[in-house]
């Protein structure tokens, strides 16, 4: 089999299938991980002592636990408690825990960077705390979180490959299968690395565009 | 006391931050349409007193009444009172991510639940009142301090407050910008707005205030009309304080 045949008949279909799974993992994880992250950050900054502590524990645990171990526990460990997850669901859950824990720290930092006067002025106008957070603090904080959250998004693109370790045939998994089958390690892995690089580059430019779009004039 | 001539009453307000007693029992009665200026050395509780009135700072004891309704211990109803008590801050505290007009309309939309068209009209009207209509689409960072402060006055006025609190509104501004803000405040006072103003602008206090309160060490040490306070202050420290201003303004 020559190179051209290999690329078009083997690599492209395998990569396409794998890429779709990778994109699906990211598409489910990223929005939920983002929203959870914002919620956790708000809980830590504005919640009472109890809630704040609970959220802190969450971040300590999920930033502290190696993601691969977390996936192993979710997929291989939970069945002994009668909870059986499909590989895809277990992966997404692990990613969401990890993604949201990191995102919450980016958002928390941004919330703390919003000057206190903003919240004071909002309260003085008769806004409830929730209205003030939602309409005044978060719009400013989230703008400042864009670099951090896009950073975490880039990580997500790459650590989504860990799903392969619990049998999800995503991009890395698909490439591994054909690399071993056809004994074409270099071609395959370099090609798949380029695909990841493309995804990350698109994200980088996307984040810049987002930052520009939401930049506050002046 | 249920004298309904008073729009605002403070009864024996006390506030301490840790061991530092900032307000040691301040009582005050304000009539509708009055402008009261608070003067005195820094750190004597003037700003804290204003913040107690709309409960941004919760006093340790004492009661506050707005139109004979108790503001202290109001629970969630405090957000209603805060709409009735406009506040203007030394550092403006405009919402950085919103244009001038959106700064003014955001509370109309979110708190008063006005429809967007009405809110925009009201916001533009208030910006016109402070001479900032031409700057409606500019962001706070694009405004001078005087312009920003005028927008913040418009923002407070948009809620149709019963009284306005000004916490050193011109202390962050140079003399020229100070004048443009004081002009707006003077106009408000003339139009009959009830105003409590913490200020170091003696010229403004003397020409606009119905009453000047001299504060020191957490007490209102002396109060009276500008003429009374300027011509024969009873209290020695007040005399010295006003004297210093006179010296510099000559």
């Amino acid at each position: 089999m020559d190179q051209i045949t290999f690329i078009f008949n083997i690599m492209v279909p395998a990569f396409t299938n794998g890429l779709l799974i990778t994109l699906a993992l990211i598409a489910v994880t990223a929005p939920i991980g983002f929203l959870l992250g914002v919620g956790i950050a708000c809980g830590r900054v504005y919640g009472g002592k109890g809630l704040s502590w609970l959220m802190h524990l969450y971040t300590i645990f999920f930033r502290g636990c190696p993601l691969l171990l977390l996936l192993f526990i979710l997929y291989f460990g939970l069945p002994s408690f009668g909870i059986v997850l499909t590989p895809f669901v277990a992966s997404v859950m692990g990613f969401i825990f990890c993604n949201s824990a990191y995102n919450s720290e980016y958002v928390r930092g941004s919330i703390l960077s919003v000057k206190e006067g903003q919240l004071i002025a909002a309260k003085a106008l008769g806004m409830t705390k929730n209205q003030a957070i939602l309409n005044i603090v978060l719009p400013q904080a989230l703008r400042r979180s864009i670099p951090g959250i896009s950073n975490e998004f880039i990580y997500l693109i790459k650590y989504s490959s860990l799903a392969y370790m619990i049998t999800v045939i995503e991009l890395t998994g698909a490439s591994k299968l054909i690399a071993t089958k056809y004994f074409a390690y270099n071609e395959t892995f370099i090609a798949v690395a380029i695909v990841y690089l493309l995804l990350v580059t698109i994200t980088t430019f996307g984040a810049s565009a987002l930052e520009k779009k939401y930049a506050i004039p002046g | 006391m249920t004298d309904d001539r008073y729009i605002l009453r403070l009864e024996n307000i006390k506030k301490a931050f840790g061991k530092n007693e900032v307000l040691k029992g301040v009582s005050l009665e304000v009539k509708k349409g009055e402008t009261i200026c608070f003067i005195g050395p820094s750190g004597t509780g003037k700003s804290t007193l204003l913040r107690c009135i709309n409960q941004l700072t919760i006093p340790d004891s004492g009661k506050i009444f707005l139109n004979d309704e108790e503001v202290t211990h109001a629970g969630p109803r405090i957000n209603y009172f805060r709409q009735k008590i406009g506040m203007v801050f030394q550092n403006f505290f405009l919402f950085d991510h919103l244009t001038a007009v959106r700064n003014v309309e955001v509370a109309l939309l979110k708190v008063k639940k006005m429809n967007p068209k009405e809110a925009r009209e009201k916001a533009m009207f208030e910006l016109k009142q402070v001479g900032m209509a031409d700057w409606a689409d500019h962001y706070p960072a694009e405004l001078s301090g005087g312009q920003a402060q005028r927008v913040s006055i418009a923002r407070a006025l948009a809620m149709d407050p019963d009284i306005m609190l000004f916490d050193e509104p011109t202390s962050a501004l140079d003399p020229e910008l100070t004048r443009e803000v004081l002009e707006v405040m003077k106009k408000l006072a003339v139009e009959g707005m009830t105003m409590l103003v913490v200020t170091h602008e003696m010229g403004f206090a003397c020409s606009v205030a119905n009453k000047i309160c001299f504060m020191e060490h957490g007490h209102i040490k002396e109060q009276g009309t500008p003429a009374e306070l300027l011509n024969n202050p009873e209290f020695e420290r007040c005399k010295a304080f006003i004297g210093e201003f006179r010296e510099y303004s000559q």
Side-chain angles (χ1 to χ4, degrees):
Chain A
M1 185 165 54
D2 61 48
Q3 287 290 346
I4 304 293
T5 325
F6 177 70
I7 290 174
F8 285 100
N9 290 355
I10 309 297
M11 212 189 254
V12 169
F15 276 22
T16 308
N17 288 336
L19 182 61
L20 286 177
I21 303 286
T22 292
L23 292 179
L25 288 168
I26 295 169
V28 179
T29 303
I32 302 176
F34 167 70
L35 290 175
L36 259 183
V38 175
I40 292 161
C42 288
R44 274 196 73 186
V45 179
Y46 298 111
K49 231 179 185 166
L51 182 66
S52 178
W53 240 106
L54 209 66
M55 299 295 102
H56 196 182
L57 277 181
Y58 182 97
T59 50
I60 289 175
F61 185 78
F62 289 114
R63 284 198 305 165
C65 181
L67 182 53
L68 187 55
L69 278 184
L70 186 60
L71 295 183
F72 283 166
I73 292 167
L74 288 168
Y75 184 62
F76 296 118
L78 286 187
S80 57
F81 297 102
I83 303 169
V84 181
L85 303 173
T86 67
F88 186 85
V89 169
S91 306
V92 161
M93 279 180 66
F95 294 163
I96 286 173
F97 285 136
C98 174
N99 189 265
S100 60
Y102 280 96
N103 275 342
S104 78
E105 284 297 279
Y106 294 125
V107 176
R108 190 174 70 93
S110 309
I111 289 175
L112 294 177
S113 79
V114 175
K115 283 184 246 102
E116 206 197 348
Q118 300 284 309
L119 192 61
I120 293 175
K123 280 185 180 173
L125 287 167
M127 286 194 198
T128 64
K129 201 172 170 187
N130 285 345
Q131 286 173 331
I133 293 168
L134 222 57
N135 296 299
I136 305 302
V137 179
L138 279 185
Q140 297 182 41
L142 291 181
R143 282 174 163 85
R144 296 177 201 179
S145 307
I146 293 173
I149 287 173
S150 59
N151 196 35
E152 185 57 26
F153 192 92
I154 287 170
Y155 274 131
L156 169 64
I157 291 172
K158 291 182 291 174
Y159 64 59
S160 69
S161 63
L162 290 178
Y164 170 51
M165 302 306 288
I166 55 172
T167 75
V168 178
I169 306 302
E170 41 63 73
L171 189 54
T172 301
S175 70
K176 176 80 190 323
L177 290 182
I178 57 169
T180 358
K181 188 172 173 191
Y182 295 95
F183 207 70
Y185 294 104
N186 285 332
E187 304 89 310
T188 314
F189 289 146
I190 288 170
V192 83
I194 291 171
V195 176
Y196 278 108
L197 186 63
L198 277 176
L199 290 180
V200 169
T201 308
I202 292 168
T203 305
T204 308
F205 283 112
S208 301
L210 213 58
E211 253 181 88
K212 217 176 245 167
K213 185 181 171 200
Y214 287 107
I216 299 167
Chain B
M1 284 197 302
T2 50
D3 193 336
D4 58 7
R5 287 180 309 142
Y6 294 116
I7 192 165
L8 179 75
R9 281 188 289 128
L10 313 185
E11 290 178 3
N12 203 23
I13 301 299
K14 291 184 184 171
K15 178 69 190 178
F17 295 108
K19 277 187 178 166
N20 181 17
E21 259 190 291
V22 181
L23 298 173
K24 298 173 184 168
V26 175
S27 298
L28 184 73
E29 285 159 340
V30 184
K31 286 182 194 156
K32 191 167 167 43
E34 263 187 328
T35 296
I36 299 182
C37 285
F38 294 85
I39 62 170
S42 298
T44 51
K46 305 183 297 292
S47 293
T48 306
L49 183 66
L50 283 201
R51 284 178 182 228
C52 281
I53 293 173
N54 65 358
Q55 303 282 294
L56 287 178
T57 299
I58 310 286
D60 297 332
S61 65
K63 287 181 176 177
I64 295 164
F65 296 90
L66 182 73
N67 294 318
D68 288 311
E69 290 185 276
E70 189 174 347
V71 176
T72 30
H73 315 111
R77 221 171 107 77
I78 187 58
N79 293 314
Y80 161 76
F81 287 116
R82 283 177 179 158
Q83 294 174 49
K84 296 274 146 208
I85 305 172
M87 188 159 199
V88 173
F89 301 89
Q90 179 177 353
N91 295 317
F92 333 130
F93 293 165
L94 285 182
F95 304 130
D96 293 333
H97 63 304
L98 300 176
T99 58
V101 67
R102 296 203 59 215
N103 257 280
V104 180
E105 75 181 5
V106 65
L108 298 175
L109 295 169
K110 304 299 175 184
V111 179
K112 294 213 177 215
K113 315 281 184 204
M114 255 185 208
N115 73 51
K117 193 167 162 275
E118 257 181 281
R120 180 56 58 106
E121 275 168 17
K122 173 87 172 147
M124 285 309 297
F125 171 79
E126 299 298 349
L127 283 177
K128 223 170 260 163
Q129 293 295 301
V130 299
M132 285 298 292
D134 291 342
W135 294 81
D137 294 323
H138 285 74
Y139 284 84
E142 301 171 322
L143 305 177
S144 74
Q147 292 174 324
Q149 192 61 297
R150 284 187 282 151
V151 172
S152 97
I153 292 172
R155 179 176 67 177
L157 288 175
M159 303 302 280
D160 291 325
D162 290 338
I163 67 169
M164 287 279 284
L165 312 177
F166 293 85
D167 186 5
E168 302 202 27
T170 60
S171 295
L173 305 176
D174 68 33
E176 199 177 330
L177 301 180
T178 295
R179 213 182 49 227
E180 67 182 54
V181 171
L182 292 181
E183 287 298 324
V184 168
M185 291 169 61
K186 196 167 174 177
K187 185 171 139 226
L188 273 181
V190 170
E191 288 169 359
M193 175 57 76
T194 310
M195 301 178 16
L196 271 59
V197 186
V198 171
T199 187
H200 296 297
E201 294 294 328
M202 292 303 291
F204 174 81
C206 293
S207 63
V208 178
N210 304 93
K211 186 157 86 176
I212 297 180
C213 294
F214 176 78
M215 279 189 77
E216 193 183 47
H217 300 317
H219 292 288
I220 295 178
K221 281 284 171 66
E222 188 158 1
Q223 51 182 302
T225 64
E228 284 169 351
L229 231 72
L230 282 174
N231 297 331
N232 45 358
E234 290 165 30
F235 182 64
E236 203 50 46
R237 185 70 185 80
C238 180
K239 200 187 254 170
F241 188 78
I242 291 170
E244 270 167 45
F245 273 103
R246 286 202 154 159
E247 223 168 89
Y248 282 111
S249 60
Q250 270 166 12

